[in-house]
Every structure is written in structure tokens, then in C-alpha cells.
Amino acid sequence: MPLDHFSLAVPASKVDPLVSFFTTSLAHMGFKEHIRYGPYIVGLGEENAAYFWIAGIVPEDTDEKTVEAVLRRQHIAFTAESEFLFRFDPSLVVSSVIVFGGDVWITIGGFLMFLGAEQVQQFHVAALKAGGKDNGAPGPRPQYHPGYYGAFVLDPVFGVNVEVVCHTGAAA
């Protein structure tokens, strides 16, 4: 069953820096801020759907240090698109035949790449530029399953382990 939406509760003073990190790191995948309810509740997502919510907790409602300690143990993974991207390169004259999911792909003067792997790589670069800390460079993770390709970055606000993953491998 797919997940419809979820929220991450953070100290109210950290809502905007966290929103900035996520929108900057995932902008290449269409991720953006959609709606705000007051200053401390922000809906993020793609297209016209907010599915990732950041909710600010005011100091009188909780101990901020406890919340931050809990957040450092969180892991959020976003799914990259799983489709082929054909790149034409006239210098490539070798054709190839690729079988994937029952489909046969023939390339002449080009190459195929998984769009998902490219999104994983773009996320890693953007997240590091946005102040994140590397927690696993883009690459295959066969210990999870044979097609797992992901990258991990700790957000610069709390150290939440943020990942973008593609489940169809890196490249054909």
C-alpha cells in the first residue's frame, strides 16, 4: 500500500531552514512548497499535491533538545522516476540490444540511461550544495536488492538522513 502523506514535527524556529533544504535539494524532481497554514505548517510535494508536511512545534509544547535528538534518528527516502532516458550521441555507432521488463530496446548512435539514476545523482549534488553532509554517495546498494541505486545526505538543520532511491539500477 503506497503512503499518501506524512509530517515531520520540528521546532518552529527550524521550519524555514528545513523547507529551504528540501526544496533546494529536490527541485530537479519537481519538489516545491505548495501551501502554508500559518507560519509553522508547510505542505511540500510535486505537481499540485502536498504529501510531505513540516509542522513546527512551539517551545512551550515540548523540549526542543529532545525533538532534535529524535530527528537525528529519522530517515526519509524519496523515489526517483524509473524510466529510460535515451541520449543521442552521433559519435556512438555501435548499436545495442537491451531487454528490460519484457521490452526490447535497440539503440543506434545513442545510449540508454535510467532517468532515476540521474535524479539520484542530481539530488546528491544539490543537497551537498544546500549544506547537507554526505552520508552515502550515489551508487548501487546490492545489499538491499539487486536494482537498488541510491544516495544519502544528512540535512544541515537536524541531520535527518535523506535519500533519493531508484529501484531499477543505475544504467543500461
Side-chain angles (χ1 to χ4, degrees):
M1 158 181 356
L3 182 66
D4 185 71
H5 61 276
F6 67 99
S7 66
L8 191 61
V10 305
S13 64
K14 305 293 176 95
V15 168
D16 286 332
L18 199 58
V19 167
S20 178
F21 172 76
F22 278 107
T23 55
T24 301
S25 299
L26 299 168
H28 67 282
M29 294 170 59
F31 198 79
K32 61 185 179 181
E33 180 178 329
H34 283 282
I35 192 165
R36 278 187 184 246
Y37 294 113
Y40 305 130
I41 300 176
V42 183
L44 307 166
E46 301 153 56
E47 297 172 6
N48 56 358
Y51 58 85
F52 176 47
W53 293 84
I54 297 177
I57 303 169
V58 291
E60 56 269 13
D61 286 344
T62 190
D63 170 28
E64 200 168 299
K65 289 184 186 231
T66 301
V67 172
E68 290 183 13
V70 169
L71 287 169
R72 281 192 295 276
R73 306 286 299 173
Q74 301 305 304
H75 174 75
I76 301 169
F78 294 90
T79 305
E81 293 185 39
S82 298
E83 58 186 67
F84 284 113
L85 180 65
F86 181 76
R87 299 281 172 95
F88 181 73
D89 183 347
S91 68
L92 297 173
V93 293
V94 178
S95 64
S96 59
V97 177
I98 300 162
V99 179
F100 178 77
D103 295 326
V104 177
W105 297 74
I106 300 173
T107 65
I108 299 171
F111 63 93
L112 286 171
M113 171 175 197
F114 285 107
L115 179 58
E118 189 171 288
Q119 287 182 336
V120 169
Q121 294 159 6
Q122 290 171 346
F123 156 74
H124 193 256
V125 169
L128 294 177
K129 283 183 182 177
K133 181 180 175 189
D134 180 32
N135 198 33
R141 305 290 194 280
Q143 66 272 29
Y144 301 143
H145 68 71
Y148 202 103
Y149 185 89
F152 304 83
V153 174
L154 300 177
D155 86 71
V157 182
F158 299 108
V160 173
N161 187 17
V162 183
E163 172 187 11
V164 171
V165 60
C166 170
H167 293 284
T168 54

